[in-house]
Amino acid sequence: MSVIVLTEHAQGSFKKKSLEAVQYGAKIAAMMGTSVTAVAAGNVSNDELQTLGAYGAQKVLHVADARLDNFSSRAFTKVVLAAAAQEGAKVIVCLHDTTGKAVAPRVAARLQAGMVAGAVGLPDLSSGFTVKKNVFSGKAFAFVNITSDVKVITLMPNSSAVVKGEGSASVEALSVSFDDQDFAVQVQQVSKATGSVPLSEAELVVSGGRGLKGPENWHILEDLATSLGAATACSRPVADSHWRPHNEHVGQTGGTIRPNLYIAAGISGAIQHLAGVNGSKTIVVINKDPEAPFFKAADYGVLGDVFEVLPRLTEAVKKFKANN
Amino acid sequence: MKILVCLCPVPDTTTKIAFGDNNTTFNSQGVTFIINPYDEWYSVVRALELKEAGTATAVHLITVGKADAEPVIRKALALGGDEAIRIDTDSNDPYVVAAQIAQYASAENYDLVLCGKESIDYNNGTVGGMLAELLDMNYLGFVSDIKVDGNNVTVLREIDGGDETDSCVLPLVISCQKGVAEARIPNMRGIMAARTKPLKVVAPAAISSVSNIVSFEMPPAKTGVRMIAADNMDELVSLLHNEAKVI
Ligand SMILES: Cc1cc2nc3c(=O)[nH]c(=O)nc-3n(C[C@H](O)[C@H](O)[C@H](O)COP(=O)(O)OP(=O)(O)OC[C@H]3O[C@@H](n4cnc5c(N)ncnc54)[C@H](O)[C@@H]3O)c2cc1C
């Protein structure tokens, strides 16, 4: 019996959300009186693998096959299934991101296991195995009870703060037998925005709507994002008009995010937009219309013109950073 | 090439979500149901485009639901598609939904199965991946462009902080999001034609659920907005640091 967690890394360094997932798995393991084993695939150094111990992993199973540096849902599913079989896993945790959302359903279907997609909290074991998740794109939560013996969870990033502890994990090689079909997906080209924080993981997000009037004005929003170290997002019409890339679109038909701080500039706060962002811890709304519905969902509001307020806020942030 | 498109009826996006029976059921009274936007705008339309281009020979639409799901399927048929299948059962358990579809699809030899990246009600996004495993197919998730060349499919797929171009041979399951196609509105001819298109009702296979929704909860209401003067951004920064503790 154990809990296993599928981790993700970028060029050999674990992503913050994976540390969160390991910590989450460790907490579940503690509740169940068992241990957590992390699973890593592809090229990662032994030193890096051991660091997972500081987040609660007793053991790391490493499948070093270099073909796993490219993602394949079939191959990663085999990795998780092999680890689960070896460890006698009762709970399998992946991230609720493009990797986890492609692997966890396959694993669940193979094991005929119940699955909770997008968990935002720890399971409640008092009567069954009940996990809280977002539904209706963040307009509500559901408590889902998994009734199968094995449970599969994808964890929404930023559901809890990552706290580094002590300890180093033991690393074991895991061998998995693959077939050609497992690597039938050929990766032709990868394009990544370098240096920026991925939106789903960002703790601070600055987002713009139609109130910014056009893509040529986005630099004032980017200046604020840079001063804060925040990621940028946008409303749907902004992405639809190609002012910003589609992956920045948040809301009911875009991404759902839960940053600590969401600053909305020139966004009206339509119900479909709120759905994707109302899990944010703190919401700041900047709008020139006192009737903008977003103010009702905000913690802090600034009534004013974004073209004046944003540069002022950027200056204030810079001043604060210089003094702290 | 034979395409199966998975459809899910969901509450209209403007729905004010409410729960009944002591927060254990979704209150659907007065709620308008629509086709899940990812299915309607992207999967269905891309399948139709492939048929119009002569690449696909047949486009089938499938949903798992009771009779009340039929108006939504007819609406999809009005956009196009050769036939629709409704598996006559209702479930909130994504495994049950995927296994029901897989059960039907395995006998039909589809080359391409399309679904939306998630349904906007329960936001699971799991049916595509589960179907791929149950049908022993490769799976490309969160796709924003699909090109088909003979037996070979090339997609643009979202990854962490960017995207990736992948290619793979059929059969495949693909989950679609923005970019895959431009939404269409059914025309009068389509609406008329949809009335007489075959809508097969299939008895469900015996599949037991492995999860169930116990209850719902609304997010805590905001206690009220605190307004900050537009010329006092130092105060906002100080509140974000000292009060909200987010910077
Ligand atoms: C099925 C469906 C799904 C949808 N999904 C999404 C979704 O996922 N995400 C999403 O965002 N939307 C979605 N929408 C669209 C949504 O209904 C709204 O139309 C959209 O969010 C509005 O974007 P906006 O706030 O940027 O623009 P607008 O509504 O035009 O608002 C612009 C705001 O900027 C303010 N403003 C203008 N100029 C200034 C200025 N100089 N300074 C300060 N403020 C200014 C205005 O007062 C206004 O409040 C969906 C709609 C449908 C029907």
Side-chain angles (χ1 to χ4, degrees), chain B residues 52-68:
Chain B
E52 287 153 9
T55 313
T57 50
V59 173
H60 292 181
L61 311 174
I62 193 165
T63 197
V64 177
K66 293 297 221 179
D68 55 6

Side-chain angles (χ1 to χ4, degrees), chain B residues 53-235:
Chain B
T55 313
T57 50
V59 173
H60 292 181
L61 311 174
I62 193 165
T63 197
V64 177
K66 293 297 221 179
D68 55 6
E70 289 200 358
V72 167
I73 312 173
R74 287 275 176 218
K75 191 178 167 215
L77 277 172
L79 287 165
D82 302 298
E83 65 172 65
I85 302 105
R86 176 171 69 80
I87 303 181
D88 192 21
T89 183
D90 222 358
S91 178
N92 279 335
D93 182 343
Y95 174 73
V96 172
V97 173
Q100 293 290 358
I101 297 175
Q103 180 82 21
Y104 180 84
S106 58
E108 290 277 330
N109 294 314
Y110 292 106
D111 303 286
L112 182 61
V113 180
L114 297 179
C115 56
K117 80 155 183 179
E118 65 179 41
S119 65
I120 61 166
D121 50 1
Y122 296 110
N123 309 119
N124 289 317
T126 42
V127 165
M130 287 182 174
L131 268 178
E133 187 67 20
L134 296 170
L135 296 172
D136 194 24
M137 290 185 187
N138 269 297
Y139 174 61
L140 296 169
F142 328 103
V143 161
S144 57
D145 185 55
I146 305 173
K147 291 197 177 63
V148 182
D149 180 10
N151 206 25
N152 205 48
V153 177
T154 305
V155 302
L156 189 65
R157 196 172 74 73
E158 182 188 325
I159 56 171
D160 261 2
D163 42 47
E164 171 176 297
T165 307
D166 291 346
S167 67
C168 191
V169 291
L170 295 169
L172 271 177
V173 179
I174 295 178
S175 81
C176 301
Q177 63 179 5
K178 187 141 94 188
V180 161
E182 289 291 332
R184 291 181 181 181
I185 298 165
N187 58 27
M188 209 50 205
R189 233 179 69 214
I191 295 168
M192 298 303 284
R195 294 194 183 151
T196 53
K197 281 185 186 170
L199 197 167
K200 260 202 309 204
V201 180
V202 177
I207 293 158
S208 349
S209 71
V210 280
S211 72
N212 60 283
I213 296 180
V214 184
S215 61
F216 294 97
E217 185 182 280
M218 296 303 282
K222 291 276 180 191
T223 45
V225 54
R226 172 156 177 184
M227 297 304 290
I228 318 289
D231 55 7
N232 196 355
M233 287 302 100
D234 288 333
E235 188 194 351

Side-chain angles (χ1 to χ4, degrees), chain A residues 210 213 235-236 249-253 266 268 272-273 287 306:
Chain A
R210 277 219 299 237
K213 306 280 188 291
S235 68
R236 184 172 131 208
H249 156 201
V250 291
Q252 186 149 21
T253 50
S268 57
Q272 297 95 348
H273 184 85
N287 201 301
V306 286

Side-chain angles (χ1 to χ4, degrees), chain A residues 208-213 234-238 243 249-255 265-276 286-294 302 304-308, chain B residues 12-14 34 37-38 41 120 178:
Chain A
R210 277 219 299 237
L212 263 87
K213 306 280 188 291
C234 67
S235 68
R236 184 172 131 208
V238 165
W243 296 0
H249 156 201
V250 291
Q252 186 149 21
T253 50
I267 303 177
S268 57
I271 189 166
Q272 297 95 348
H273 184 85
L274 294 180
I286 306 168
N287 201 301
K288 68 174 183 189
D289 173 9
E291 301 298 323
F294 220 146
V302 181
D305 189 320
V306 286
F307 297 102
E308 289 163 17
Chain B
D12 179 78
T13 56
T14 55
I34 58 168
Y38 293 107
W41 300 346
I120 61 166
K178 187 141 94 188

Side-chain angles (χ1 to χ4, degrees), chain A residues 221-271:
Chain A
L221 194 127
E222 282 170 333
D223 286 347
L224 176 60
T226 309
S227 71
L228 283 166
T232 51
C234 67
S235 68
R236 184 172 131 208
V238 165
D240 280 352
S241 316
H242 305 289
W243 296 0
R244 300 296 296 171
H246 281 323
N247 56 23
E248 286 196 4
H249 156 201
V250 291
Q252 186 149 21
T253 50
T256 302
I257 54 172
R258 312 166 50 83
N260 286 336
L261 173 63
Y262 183 75
I263 301 181
I267 303 177
S268 57
I271 189 166

